[in-house]
Amino acid sequence: MRHPGPVSDDALAQLHRLRTPEGVAATALAAELMAQGLDVLPALARLRSRVGAEHAGPAWELARLRARARPVFGADADVLFLTADTLEQAGRPALAARRARRLLSGEVDSAADLGCASGTDTIALARAGATVLAVDTDPLARELTAANAEALEVADRVWVVAGDAVDLVAAARGGEVAGCGAAVLDPARRAGGRRQLDPDRWSPPWSTVATLLDRVPHAVVKVAPGLDHERVPAGVEAEWVSAGGSIVEALLWGRAVSVAWRRASLVRGDDVLELTADADPGPAPPGPVRGWLHEPDPAVIRSGLVSLVAADVGATLVDPTIAYLTSDAPTGSPWVSSYRVDEVLPFNLKRLKALLRTRGVGRVVVKKRGSAIEPETLAGRLRGPGAGTATVVVTRVAGAPTALVCDLSDR
Ligand SMILES: C[S@@+](CC[C@H](N)C(=O)[O-])C[C@H]1O[C@@H](n2cnc3c(N)ncnc32)[C@H](O)[C@@H]1O
């Protein structure tokens, strides 16, 4: 989120206004009008007439962002200062708190947040008891972090400074960076609204990530979920965290905090389930399709721990290259979603359609792995008059394109 000079100046001036007593009152009024469910234009007109044009627009925008942040940030959202950019880049506070606790285990009591944005990690580190040096190249990010540290009453443990993480990490010595015994690095992985897939184009780039992990043993770096395992340095634990069936963060842990080779973590409400391996467990064995199909959680797949889950539930892979498991019996494992397999046939649209018609299936959910089909399009083409439902899984079985018709129900 680089704001070139004038935009940043404008945004800074706006932030200063929002922090004045008049700005705080205007934002509270905007939130009230929003909660009443008024349409935007009449609400804005009313807000303008009460607080003036200068405050109305920014106050409305901040109230809107706070409402958007509330489901994830809870009550903190009501006092946070945010921009659309920093909210988009912010991680989940509950996960930031979990990371901060793990990072600070041991003797470490100071941490650098190397690219603080609006301060989610800074606040989590301060709340976990650390003295925090919050650094960002962006003046707006620094102001937001300072404002949020004050709003959440941790400002006495937070120092916000201008600095370039690239230089600070290059100067790291004796296990410390910028005089701190621990560090969080969450590089910006988007530029111009587009995701940067190449880690060398993150800001700071991969070279800074690697140097930090090398020089500062109490460090954690947030990386892209698709990071190539080849990049993970030896002795560094890589963790993939999922919630609701999607990866929510991927982390590399410095050597003083690493305890495993890989870790898959599954967030379920307030709990986090974890699966670890000390070394690469290798692939699960393949075998023929049996009565149940299991789709491993994405954290298990990304962390390369599918074979651990396979061994645990007595399952084999349907294909050596595909992360679908199969077994004779259902399983209560939280690490997989399971489907009863009712029919297995070579993938052929006509045959599949005919089979679903005979079985009275009108509505299907299509899932796929290792196939070029478009699930939504195929589901549309398979829709029929029947009242029944089914899940159709299109995949490769022992190398052959195959459709598995699962959970058939004739309603
Ligand atoms: C992904 S955001 C951090 C989000 C934050 N951890 C959170 O959860 O809210 C990355 C931040 O790094 C900052 N940044 C990018 N390159 C930097 C550099 N070389 N030095 C310091 N900060 C940098 C960006 O301005 C941005 O605020």
Side-chain angles (χ1 to χ4, degrees):
M1 53 158 269
R2 288 288 162 80
H3 290 267
V7 177
S8 190
D9 290 350
D10 210 35
L12 272 175
Q14 228 171 64
L15 177 58
H16 289 150
R17 269 201 300 279
L18 284 166
R19 293 183 72 189
T20 61
E22 294 76 17
V24 170
T27 310
L29 183 57
E32 219 177 287
L33 295 171
M34 214 169 268
Q36 288 169 16
L38 291 184
D39 282 341
V40 180
L41 291 181
L44 261 173
R46 202 177 316 164
L47 191 61
R48 228 175 274 125
S49 73
R50 296 270 297 275
V51 303
E54 195 185 38
H55 285 300
W60 183 265
E61 171 66 0
L62 180 57
R64 194 181 65 80
L65 292 171
R66 285 178 174 176
R68 211 203 289 165
R70 206 168 203 290
V72 175
F73 282 76
D76 284 356
D78 298 345
V79 295
L80 283 176
F81 292 91
L82 299 158
T83 62
D85 272 353
T86 53
L87 180 56
E88 190 188 306
Q89 297 197 64
R92 298 175 175 219
L95 293 181
R98 175 177 178 262
R99 266 185 278 124
R101 281 194 300 272
R102 180 168 172 192
L103 184 67
L104 298 171
S105 55
E107 301 292 281
V108 182
D109 60 3
S110 60
D113 182 2
L114 301 170
C116 54
S118 56
T120 319
D121 282 293
T122 295
I123 284 153
L125 290 162
R127 281 178 169 169
T131 301
V132 189
L133 186 74
V135 178
D136 211 294
T137 41
D138 182 342
L140 180 58
R142 295 195 298 272
E143 281 289 317
L144 287 166
T145 295
N148 288 334
E150 196 179 304
L152 295 173
E153 299 176 2
V154 291
D156 57 337
R157 289 201 289 288
V158 172
W159 277 262
V160 185
V161 296
D164 191 323
V166 174
D167 301 337
L168 293 172
V169 171
R173 294 283 178 278
E176 297 193 343
V177 58
C180 299
V184 173
L185 174 59
D186 179 9
R189 297 180 295 278
R190 301 183 84 88
R194 293 189 39 219
R195 194 165 286 163
Q196 294 294 327
L197 296 176
D198 179 358
D200 296 328
R201 299 178 75 99
W202 296 346
S203 180
W206 178 260
S207 53
T208 297
V209 173
T211 307
L212 181 73
L213 290 169
D214 214 36
R215 297 193 181 171
V216 182
H218 281 88
V220 60
V221 183
K222 253 173 129 180
V223 295
L227 185 83
D228 190 343
H229 281 245
E230 295 284 308
R231 290 228 183 218
V232 182
V236 163
E237 175 185 319
E239 175 183 17
W240 279 264
V241 183
S242 77
S246 309
I247 300 286
V248 287
E249 64 182 29
L251 306 170
L252 300 180
W253 290 95
R255 294 190 178 89
V257 250
S258 284
V259 288
W261 172 73
R262 299 289 185 265
R263 181 183 304 261
S265 302
L266 174 56
V267 180
R268 281 186 143 191
D270 291 337
D271 294 332
V272 181
L273 306 178
E274 299 183 1
L275 190 69
T276 57
D278 293 338
D280 187 349
V289 176
R290 293 182 270 163
W292 288 83
L293 184 78
H294 311 287
E295 182 179 19
D297 184 89
V300 171
I301 298 176
R302 281 299 316 150
S303 58
L305 300 181
V306 171
S307 61
L308 293 191
V309 173
D312 187 44
V313 305
T316 44
L317 289 172
V318 299
D319 184 283
T321 61
I322 304 279
Y324 276 135
L325 294 167
T326 183
S327 71
D328 292 321
T331 163
S333 169
W335 297 106
V336 296
S337 304
S338 299
Y339 306 87
R340 191 191 63 242
V341 180
D342 293 309
E343 302 280 351
V344 182
L345 61 160
F347 180 67
N348 172 301
L349 187 59
K350 246 174 142 174
R351 275 187 66 186
L352 191 54
K353 244 177 156 164
L355 177 107
L356 294 171
R357 291 284 181 284
T358 353
R359 303 292 293 263
V361 172
R363 223 161 19 89
V364 299
V365 171
V366 174
K367 302 184 73 70
K368 68 140 186 181
R369 213 172 266 283
S371 161
I373 61 124
E374 221 307 324
E376 296 295 318
T377 313
L378 183 61
R381 295 180 73 181
L382 293 176
R383 196 168 298 134
T389 57
T391 299
V392 172
V393 179
V394 183
T395 187
R396 275 198 308 275
V397 170
T402 304
L404 312 181
V405 181
C406 303
D407 294 347
L408 265 172
S409 140
D410 52 15
R411 292 284 158 102

